[in-house]
Amino acid sequence: MKSLSDTTGDYLTYEEDEKLRDHCGVVGVYLSDHETNASRLAYYGLQSLQHRGQESTGIAVSDGEKVEHYKKMGLVADVYNHETLAPLKGYIAIGHVLYSTSGHATIENAQPFVSRSKLGTLAVAHNGSLVNAEPMKEFLEETGSTFTSASDTEVIIKLIAKNYKKGLEKALTDTIQLIRGSFALAVMTEKTLIGARDPNGIRPLCLGKLPNGWILASESCAIDAMGGDLVRDIEPGEIVIINDDGVLSFNFGEKTARKNCIFEYVYFARPDSIMDNIHVLEARIRMGEVLARESGVAADVVIGVPDSGLGAAIGFSRASGIPYAMGLVKNKYIGRTFIAPTQEEREQMVFVKLNAIKYDVCGKRVVIIDDSIVRGTTARRLIQILRKAGAKEVHFRISSPPVKYPCYFGIDTPVRADLISATHDSAEICTAVGADSLAFISMEGMVEALESCEPERAVEHTEQNGSKKSEANDCCFCQGCFLGEYPMPMIGEIGKR
Ligand code: AMP
């Protein structure tokens, strides 16, 4: 790996494995009529959350008396089949897909975690990252707990289990008040399904209704896949307890400022999801519109990088009047298992994964939109691909601001030194990736785009900010990766990066 400070060489040669990673999706199902197919519904939900984690998956299910679970490394489609799902009979289920950010890719870290004691069984599926997992773990070890994984989710289940004798509600609120960081939780006992979201609402979690029950899911696209209807998002700092009495909701702790992760809208979430009242596709289209206004350029065609750059490309085209074209094809069948043992083969891999459509770009001035630049690898290779296909000019536009800081809340951003924008300005990045021009959306522009999707946001922003004028760095979104300002003080982690 070469140094990022070399702006002229071919330094952007990273292993695919080193890419910035998304992680984790959770689902929960409660069937009020006690039908026993909750695990099958969870499986449908996990299929549509596969984009949130491809390392391992698991489902825990309860028939009201006992909790069974099954987890394995691999993709949802490969892990479950008729034989593995058939024994998972019950009316309550939680499920998880994992892309680990704390800990490594081993079965020990796969979720849900299940804890059995004479008081009962608990299963926990978690999306997020705790910033005080280490001190909590030390505290638990000092009081007799042992750990089998590197996952901070094990800290959560051990804390709940430790307090379980106080009753479920108290155990949950006590635990949640001890942990710091981001968490969207689906928790299950023999007779109850529980959802909880951290006080800032950093990671998403929503509630859905089935004709015969309830759903919890990281994204509403999973509720759709399970045949349910989105009811609402779980609020920051809210716990919902679902059982035969329906959905009981209460808040834990003091009211804290909403800080939804902005990167969910930029990259993670599926475009068909509605997250915290914002349609993800609409957010991307609006970002593209703002980008066109801020950094327009004379060109013949606008194309987007599949999949997360497509919405912004549509918006850029609409706002600029430059025709939108497909421009690039992504091979759907290349997953993480694609083997590229040498650097040369890894370079080749991008050409296998993405190809330009000559018909759309040859002889043209092309604007290409991607949702983000992290290390710069993708941008550089895409520009090569477009030039090879005969593009006359290539103008790179990015629908999020420069990613300059690591994330401590669940997005596995590389160390700061590996983030190209931490050490290079736009002009330097433009030269390094070989574009004719390059521009990022501004921070204010991105917040404006998101707030325009939900006018309520702007009101909440103004209330949080205490002034009429919106300040981008004091809005309802966590923008830690762009500004280095986080929703809470970090414990122990910052020094490592
Ligand atoms: P890079 O090639 O390192 O500059 O990464 C930028 C590319 O990675 C863009 O095409 C993004 O769509 C994509 N990307 C952004 N965030 C993530 C993530 N968390 N995991 C994987 N890819 C990502």
XYZ file of all heavy atoms in Angstrom, residues 397-435:
288
model
N -18.636 14.450 -9.542
C -19.387 15.199 -8.533
C -19.789 14.227 -7.430
O -20.166 13.083 -7.704
C -20.660 15.824 -9.137
C -20.371 16.875 -10.203
C -19.775 18.152 -9.569
N -19.465 19.188 -10.547
C -18.305 19.282 -11.208
N -17.333 18.405 -11.020
N -18.103 20.286 -12.055
N -19.710 14.712 -6.187
C -19.951 13.819 -5.046
C -21.081 14.418 -4.203
O -21.003 15.577 -3.791
C -18.670 13.643 -4.199
C -17.508 13.185 -5.099
C -18.883 12.621 -3.084
C -16.553 14.281 -5.469
N -22.083 13.585 -3.916
C -23.281 14.104 -3.256
C -23.189 14.090 -1.734
O -24.193 14.231 -1.048
C -24.519 13.342 -3.728
O -24.373 11.974 -3.464
N -21.986 13.902 -1.187
C -21.773 14.149 0.242
C -20.482 14.959 0.362
O -19.630 14.902 -0.529
C -21.664 12.837 1.027
O -20.523 12.115 0.629
N -20.316 15.684 1.464
C -19.085 16.468 1.637
C -17.881 15.539 1.873
O -18.053 14.327 2.070
C -19.374 17.305 2.887
C -20.842 17.208 3.116
C -21.264 15.895 2.558
N -16.668 16.100 1.868
C -15.493 15.251 2.092
C -15.565 14.508 3.432
O -15.846 15.121 4.468
C -14.334 16.252 2.087
C -14.853 17.438 1.334
C -16.324 17.495 1.586
N -15.321 13.188 3.397
C -15.273 12.382 4.634
C -13.867 12.549 5.216
O -12.889 12.081 4.649
C -15.557 10.888 4.332
C -15.384 10.037 5.585
C -16.961 10.712 3.765
N -13.790 13.267 6.352
C -12.469 13.629 6.892
C -12.171 12.976 8.230
O -11.052 13.043 8.718
C -12.403 15.145 7.112
C -12.439 15.961 5.839
C -12.253 17.424 6.191
C -12.232 18.267 4.931
N -12.167 19.674 5.220
N -13.195 12.422 8.864
C -13.014 11.921 10.234
C -13.597 10.520 10.365
O -14.558 10.171 9.673
C -13.722 12.846 11.230
C -13.188 14.246 11.210
C -13.761 15.200 10.357
C -12.097 14.607 11.984
C -13.263 16.490 10.303
C -11.597 15.898 11.937
C -12.178 16.836 11.101
O -11.681 18.111 11.042
N -13.034 9.726 11.275
C -13.603 8.391 11.474
C -14.962 8.442 12.163
O -15.306 9.432 12.796
C -12.573 7.704 12.379
C -11.774 8.779 12.975
C -11.871 9.987 12.117
N -15.703 7.360 12.012
C -16.993 7.228 12.699
C -16.808 6.268 13.869
O -16.137 5.248 13.730
C -18.038 6.663 11.740
S -19.583 6.239 12.559
N -17.421 6.596 15.000
C -17.353 5.715 16.176
C -18.685 5.070 16.485
O -18.882 4.480 17.518
C -16.860 6.521 17.388
C -15.490 7.092 17.152
C -15.332 8.378 16.680
C -14.352 6.303 17.337
C -14.075 8.893 16.415
C -13.095 6.804 17.080
C -12.954 8.100 16.622
O -11.712 8.593 16.357
N -19.621 5.226 15.554
C -20.994 4.805 15.855
C -21.514 3.739 14.912
O -22.709 3.639 14.680
C -21.906 6.037 15.877
C -21.446 7.029 16.893
C -20.760 8.160 16.509
C -21.635 6.782 18.236
C -20.288 9.054 17.450
C -21.171 7.662 19.190
C -20.494 8.800 18.802
N -20.596 2.981 14.336
C -21.081 1.838 13.580
C -20.688 1.808 12.127
O -20.913 0.813 11.451
N -20.128 2.886 11.624
C -19.635 2.829 10.247
C -18.139 2.617 10.351
O -17.451 3.391 11.000
C -19.911 4.150 9.498
C -21.398 4.438 9.511
C -19.389 4.055 8.081
C -21.721 5.840 9.080
N -17.670 1.579 9.722
C -16.268 1.228 9.904
C -15.396 2.073 8.989
O -14.810 1.591 8.036
C -16.078 -0.262 9.608
C -14.708 -0.723 10.045
O -14.059 -0.012 10.821
O -14.289 -1.794 9.590
N -15.325 3.372 9.268
C -14.449 4.225 8.459
C -13.003 3.873 8.737
O -12.652 3.530 9.852
C -14.661 5.723 8.789
O -14.959 5.842 10.157
C -15.728 6.330 7.945
N -12.153 4.011 7.727
C -10.748 3.699 7.954
C -10.125 4.716 8.911
O -10.744 5.730 9.233
C -10.126 3.853 6.561
C -11.221 4.103 5.608
C -12.445 4.481 6.374
N -8.917 4.458 9.316
C -8.205 5.437 10.149
C -8.072 6.730 9.346
O -8.082 6.714 8.113
C -6.813 4.929 10.579
C -6.938 3.770 11.539
C -5.967 4.576 9.383
N -7.924 7.814 10.072
C -7.969 9.131 9.429
C -6.945 9.259 8.296
O -7.228 9.844 7.244
C -7.718 10.185 10.506
C -8.205 11.480 10.075
C -8.613 12.492 11.066
N -9.019 13.631 10.241
C -8.469 14.812 10.299
N -7.539 15.073 11.175
N -8.877 15.767 9.493
N -5.772 8.684 8.507
C -4.715 8.810 7.503
C -5.122 8.197 6.163
O -4.573 8.545 5.125
C -3.443 8.150 8.020
N -6.068 7.270 6.171
C -6.482 6.624 4.925
C -7.644 7.334 4.231
O -8.055 6.935 3.142
C -6.893 5.165 5.190
C -5.682 4.300 5.476
O -4.553 4.778 5.274
O -5.870 3.146 5.899
N -8.189 8.338 4.888
C -9.291 9.090 4.265
C -8.676 10.168 3.383
O -8.025 11.091 3.882
C -10.166 9.735 5.344
C -10.878 8.770 6.283
C -11.494 9.523 7.467
C -11.954 7.993 5.539
N -8.872 10.065 2.086
C -8.161 10.970 1.169
C -8.481 12.435 1.460
O -7.602 13.301 1.355
C -8.426 10.581 -0.315
C -7.476 11.341 -1.236
C -9.869 10.748 -0.716
C -7.454 10.843 -2.667
N -9.721 12.712 1.901
C -10.100 14.109 2.138
C -9.517 14.665 3.440
O -9.578 15.879 3.671
C -11.621 14.256 2.165
O -12.150 13.945 0.910
N -8.990 13.787 4.272
C -8.383 14.277 5.514
C -7.077 15.009 5.197
O -6.647 15.874 5.949
C -8.125 13.126 6.472
N -6.453 14.650 4.095
C -5.138 15.229 3.800
C -5.075 15.940 2.450
O -4.037 16.492 2.099
C -4.075 14.119 3.818
O -4.572 13.017 3.043
C -3.757 13.645 5.222
N -6.161 15.881 1.677
C -6.131 16.477 0.332
C -7.365 17.336 0.105
O -8.465 16.955 0.511
C -6.105 15.387 -0.740
C -4.882 14.529 -0.707
N -4.617 13.637 0.290
C -3.848 14.442 -1.575
C -3.470 13.035 0.048
N -2.972 13.510 -1.074
N -7.176 18.456 -0.576
C -8.365 19.249 -0.925
C -8.923 18.766 -2.271
O -8.338 17.887 -2.920
C -8.045 20.753 -0.916
C -7.031 21.148 -1.982
O -6.851 20.380 -2.958
O -6.422 22.224 -1.844
N -10.034 19.369 -2.692
C -10.720 18.900 -3.902
C -9.809 18.934 -5.132
O -9.827 18.020 -5.955
C -11.936 19.758 -4.209
O -12.775 19.779 -3.129
N -9.013 20.006 -5.251
C -8.158 20.135 -6.438
C -7.130 19.000 -6.468
O -6.864 18.406 -7.530
C -7.471 21.490 -6.425
N -6.577 18.688 -5.306
C -5.580 17.601 -5.249
C -6.229 16.246 -5.552
O -5.650 15.404 -6.242
C -4.917 17.564 -3.868
C -3.983 18.720 -3.614
C -3.576 18.856 -2.143
O -4.304 18.364 -1.258
O -2.538 19.466 -1.897
N -7.435 16.063 -5.026
C -8.123 14.793 -5.283
C -8.455 14.688 -6.772
O -8.303 13.629 -7.388
C -9.398 14.658 -4.407
C -9.021 14.660 -2.927
C -10.161 13.368 -4.747
C -10.202 14.722 -1.967
N -8.852 15.799 -7.368
C -9.175 15.824 -8.798
C -7.962 15.357 -9.607
O -8.078 14.500 -10.489
C -9.587 17.240 -9.197
S -10.064 17.390 -10.906
N -6.800 15.887 -9.285
C -5.570 15.488 -9.990
C -5.281 14.009 -9.735
O -4.969 13.246 -10.655
C -4.368 16.326 -9.476
O -4.737 17.681 -9.535
C -3.118 16.067 -10.296
N -5.424 13.599 -8.474
C -5.075 12.224 -8.109
C -5.971 11.196 -8.805
O -5.504 10.130 -9.204
C -5.173 12.054 -6.599
N -7.242 11.528 -8.971
C -8.145 10.541 -9.579
C -8.230 10.711 -11.095
O -8.821 9.899 -11.794
C -9.569 10.568 -8.947
C -9.508 10.249 -7.464
C -10.292 11.875 -9.205
N -7.652 11.808 -11.596
C -7.575 12.000 -13.042
C -8.852 12.527 -13.673
O -9.135 12.255 -14.843
N -9.621 13.350 -12.909
C -10.860 13.916 -13.467
C -10.572 15.262 -14.129
O -9.545 15.893 -13.849
C -11.886 14.095 -12.361
